[in-house]
């Protein structure tokens, strides 16, 4: 038996806003949007965004790791898109930056 991750789903108050953020962050586009408030991005692993009435108030138990070959340039680009830098980290030779997206979902930007 083989299993794979088929998609990652975000619960958010404004699915279209969060989908637009991630589309720009990943260099792709929002592939689908519905009147129900859901949206989708067809990235390497599809990202789905569904409407939720609860806010993100605690640290995520799961977060995305986004890799880059230019940490400083992409960090600036993500801040310009509305991401908030939380902290920088160094683990051996790998540098990373933890961010919050436009609704407070945590993710890491990691230098390759």
């Amino acid at each position: 038996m083989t299993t794979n991750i088929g998609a990652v789903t975000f619960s958010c108050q404004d699915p279209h806003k969060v989908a637009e953020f991630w589309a720009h962050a990943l260099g792709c586009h929002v592939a689908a949007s519905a009147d129900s408030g859901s949206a989708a991005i067809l990235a390497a692993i599809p990202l789905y965004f569904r409407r939720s009435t609860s806010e993100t108030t605690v640290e995520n138990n799961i977060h995305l790791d986004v890799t880059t070959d230019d940490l400083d340039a992409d960090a600036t680009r993500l801040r310009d898109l509305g991401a908030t830098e939380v902290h920088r980290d160094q683990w051996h030779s790998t540098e990373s930056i933890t961010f919050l997206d436009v609704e407070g979902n945590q993710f890491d930007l990691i230098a390759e």
Side-chain angles (χ1 to χ4, degrees), residues 4-92:
N4 292 298
I5 295 175
V8 175
T9 301
F10 289 72
S11 294
C12 35
Q13 292 182 325
D14 188 342
H16 301 285
K17 178 180 177 181
V18 180
E20 284 294 331
F21 169 84
W22 281 105
H24 289 292
L26 298 174
C28 52
H29 64 280
V30 177
S33 190
D35 290 338
S36 64
S38 60
I41 295 174
L42 301 179
I45 294 176
L47 302 178
Y48 299 131
F49 305 88
R50 66 179 185 171
R51 186 172 309 283
S52 172
T53 57
S54 59
E55 292 183 35
T56 302
T57 58
V58 296
E59 182 179 329
N60 301 28
N61 290 325
I62 296 175
H63 66 268
L64 298 180
D65 287 343
V66 178
T67 58
T68 179
D69 60 359
D70 191 338
L71 187 68
D72 291 328
D74 278 324
T76 297
R77 188 174 62 81
L78 291 167
R79 283 190 296 272
D80 289 346
L81 290 172
T84 302
E85 185 173 325
V86 177
H87 65 85
R88 290 178 176 248
D89 197 16
Q90 181 86 31
W91 190 73
H92 297 283

